[in-house]
Amino acid sequence: MNALPLLFVVVASVALADDRRSGYEFMSRSTQAMQDDDMSNPAMLWVLDGEALWKAGKPSCASCHADMKGVAARYPAVSSGRLVNLEQRINLCRTEQQLVKPYAYESKELLSLTAYIALQSRGMPIAVKDDPAVQKGKALYEQRQGQLNMSCAQCHDQQAGRHLGGSVIPQGHPTGYPIYRLEWQTLGSLERRLRNCLIGIRAEPYGYGAPEMVELELYLMSRARGMKMDAPGVRP
Amino acid sequence: MAARALLRVPQRARRGEVIEIRALISHIMETGFRHSERGASIARDIITSFRCTYNGTEIFRARFYPAIAANPFITFTTIATESGTLRFEWSGDNEFTASESAAIMVE
Amino acid sequence: MNRRIFVLSLALAPWMRTARADAMHDAMSAVLQGATPREGRVTIELPPLVENGNTVPFSVSVESPMTERDHVRSIHVFNEKNPQPNIGDFFLGPRAGRAAVSTRIRLADTQTVVALAQMSDGSWWSGSASVIVTLAACTEIN
């Protein structure tokens, strides 16, 4: 048997690099510099608050949990039979364990806690578990919608690296969330960013915490599986 | 929650060395030029002044206008003259004040 | 007298001068109090194409020995197209070591940013930089 074709296949698959790139790599050098230094990254202001919240209340988060290493890298995940993102998981702890009111989506408190938790996954590979919901998220990602009749895939799979107006289109990997988005001049969640995208294509944005949102988040995280988290990031 | 600040000040320096200081503080820096969805003007709410003192002597001062981005960030330099305390003070609209300190050891 | 006083303002043909360029001109006059700045020694660093006009990294530096006898007293930064012409004023002195300040600014549109620096001998120097600002892709409606 001629071994040459086999050798060629082996060499080809070894040479196949992972060409997935974090949104960080699509940013200008000066925006990257904002993220690089923890004392200059505005997102770290929320981490300070998150650290304080982690230790506050009776019972506090700290009284049950040692640390949150790798946690953000595993969400969305199934908890008590339900697919939840990190924000929802925090609120489940609040209502069921701490017996307090849940934090509102995009509230300063919830953002601070998710920033503090996400920081503890920085540098770690995204490790969401496989789940049937990934396929639901994939379908949402690939479906055309809105007045512009566009799908996420069209920009972020097919046109990534090219420009939309003055902005470079990233690949859409959520490695940096929650992010300090320069456009918002504040910290925000992946869901907020997805709502921006949906409004951008003139589609009805899914509500915060909607099943479609969490399925989409799960698909994006599973598509980015293995990529290193760089949260909390800065993005344009 | 109160304003949060992050400072980058070298812990130690040689006497005469020019050191770089960075200060970042949380603040919305509402310009006063925005309008609500109903067309009502949103009042200005910015930090207007920042100063840094080194063992009590002012070594840097800045006046901020609405064109300074939210969560104001500033980098400046000073000569490390002696060990002691660098104090940072911010003030602005609506009687906003904040202050932070950092120690420096100068050899 | 050197009539190239205001790097941008007087260089504009009358038909190019907008209300905002006048506002910048007036704001600069208020600081100069009749003095004439010379172009040079002041360097502004801005990205040529800005990723988002809401938060633009900005640096200004002035060539100066920064000694007791010869130093930069203050740097005043202006913009051409924002609703308000001032950006920031920075007060230095011989203890600064270097005349270099960085911050993050808001730029409403493609425009020119001008910095005026006053030296310890009372003289004024100026520098400017132009920057392209585009709108962000995909925002919220509010």
Side-chain angles (χ1 to χ4, degrees):
Chain A
M1 181 174 126
N2 189 357
L4 202 59
L6 184 67
L7 186 67
F8 178 76
V9 165
V10 167
V11 167
S13 50
V14 161
L16 235 128
D18 183 358
D19 54 8
R20 294 179 301 174
R21 297 277 176 271
S22 159
Y24 174 88
E25 299 196 42
F26 290 91
M27 310 195 304
S28 72
R29 189 67 210 105
S30 48
T31 312
Q32 288 179 338
M34 272 180 75
Q35 180 177 319
D36 290 343
D37 176 18
D38 279 353
M39 298 299 126
S40 306
N41 181 349
M44 296 302 289
L45 293 167
W46 277 261
V47 170
L48 286 180
D49 277 336
E51 192 177 15
L53 283 171
W54 182 259
K55 300 174 186 159
K58 277 184 169 51
S60 65
C61 314
S63 60
C64 283
H65 299 283
D67 64 56
M68 290 274 107
K69 280 203 183 67
V71 170
R74 297 197 300 264
Y75 275 82
V78 171
S79 186
S80 305
R82 194 180 135 213
L83 182 71
V84 291
N85 60 21
L86 184 61
E87 288 82 354
Q88 291 167 326
R89 189 67 194 85
I90 291 169
N91 276 336
L92 276 175
C93 268
R94 285 182 63 77
T95 54
E96 293 177 3
Q97 313 298 336
Q98 294 173 299
L99 306 176
V100 288
K101 284 213 291 259
Y103 285 134
Y105 287 110
E106 303 313 288
S107 62
K108 189 165 190 199
E109 292 84 357
L110 191 53
L111 287 168
S112 300
L113 270 178
T114 52
Y116 177 66
I117 292 170
L119 173 65
Q120 296 175 61
S121 287
R122 191 164 64 181
M124 298 177 69
I126 290 177
V128 289
K129 283 212 176 83
D130 214 354
D131 188 276
V134 171
Q135 292 311 309
K136 286 191 188 165
K138 183 168 197 275
L140 289 166
Y141 182 84
E142 291 173 348
Q143 77 175 17
R144 284 174 176 264
Q145 57 185 311
Q147 289 180 333
L148 298 186
N149 199 32
M150 290 172 67
S151 71
C152 315
Q154 282 177 288
C155 273
H156 296 289
D157 284 349
Q158 294 164 25
Q159 307 289 341
R162 295 158 104 165
H163 283 76
L164 178 66
S167 313
V168 182
I169 299 170
Q171 294 176 354
H173 299 297
T175 56
Y177 282 85
I179 57 168
Y180 186 84
R181 190 179 182 204
L182 302 185
E183 175 62 21
W184 301 326
Q185 297 188 80
T186 190
L187 202 77
S189 67
L190 176 57
E191 289 200 356
R192 181 174 178 181
R193 189 64 190 83
L194 294 177
R195 281 171 60 91
N196 285 187
C197 282
L198 289 161
I199 291 168
I201 57 172
R202 305 287 180 266
E204 185 72 44
Y206 310 122
Y208 282 105
E212 293 93 337
M213 271 296 193
V214 188
E215 285 155 10
L216 203 41
E217 283 181 88
L218 177 63
Y219 173 64
L220 290 172
M221 287 292 271
S222 94
R223 179 172 162 269
R225 193 180 283 121
M227 291 179 75
K228 294 217 173 78
M229 299 264 299
D230 62 314
V234 177
R235 296 287 188 272
Chain B
M1 288 180 246
R4 291 285 181 168
L6 286 167
L7 305 170
R8 188 178 267 296
V9 176
Q11 283 186 315
R12 358 169 66 90
R14 285 170 285 110
R15 197 173 302 270
E17 187 186 345
V18 177
I19 57 172
E20 184 185 81
I21 296 168
R22 299 186 187 183
L24 172 67
I25 188 165
S26 63
H27 197 283
I28 191 170
M29 296 297 279
E30 185 62 64
T31 61
F33 300 116
R34 293 201 310 158
H35 293 86
S36 71
E37 276 165 22
R38 298 225 177 124
S41 173
I42 303 175
R44 193 185 91 164
D45 182 12
I46 66 168
I47 293 177
T48 50
S49 159
F50 167 77
R51 72 194 279 260
C52 176
T53 60
Y54 190 156
N55 285 344
T57 305
E58 181 178 291
I59 51 146
F60 179 77
R61 188 163 53 91
R63 199 179 294 136
F64 292 159
Y65 295 85
I68 297 292
N71 304 307
F73 174 73
I74 186 111
T75 302
F76 57 97
T77 57
T78 195
I79 301 173
T81 48
E82 55 190 4
S83 295
T85 306
L86 284 154
R87 193 170 154 79
F88 304 84
E89 290 164 0
W90 294 262
S91 62
D93 295 336
N94 301 311
E95 289 162 6
F96 175 86
T97 58
S99 62
E100 293 284 336
S101 298
I104 186 165
M105 177 112 80
V106 177
E107 288 131 5
Chain C
M1 186 179 184
N2 182 7
R3 288 310 291 174
R4 278 192 68 206
I5 295 176
F6 305 120
V7 176
L8 177 77
S9 310
L10 291 184
L12 292 175
W15 61 267
M16 281 164 75
R17 284 191 53 178
T18 62
R20 301 239 178 93
D22 280 344
M24 183 175 85
H25 185 279
D26 292 344
M28 288 165 68
S29 299
V31 159
L32 289 167
Q33 303 266 307
T36 305
R38 289 172 61 184
E39 222 183 313
R41 294 177 72 177
V42 178
T43 306
I44 291 178
E45 270 175 52
L46 276 169
L49 173 61
V50 151
E51 275 193 297
N52 194 295
N54 285 345
T55 311
V56 184
F58 164 88
S59 295
V60 59
S61 58
V62 184
E63 283 164 32
S64 164
M66 295 307 278
T67 60
E68 190 67 52
R69 290 179 53 187
D70 185 7
H71 58 264
V72 176
R73 270 195 218 154
S74 60
I75 306 172
H76 307 258
V77 188
F78 305 86
N79 75 87
E80 189 201 349
K81 296 213 187 129
N82 287 4
Q84 215 253 1
N86 302 80
I87 293 181
D89 305 318
F90 308 102
F91 301 89
L92 307 170
R95 289 193 62 163
R98 273 199 302 271
V101 175
S102 297
T103 182
R104 293 169 188 156
I105 67 175
R106 290 166 167 151
L107 292 172
D109 198 352
T110 294
Q111 59 185 297
T112 301
V113 174
V114 179
L116 295 175
Q118 187 177 39
M119 305 304 183
S120 43
D121 65 2
S123 66
W124 287 90
W125 293 78
S126 73
S128 66
S130 290
V131 57
I132 297 174
V133 179
T134 60
L135 293 176
C138 300
T139 66
E140 287 138 344
I141 299 175
N142 64 359

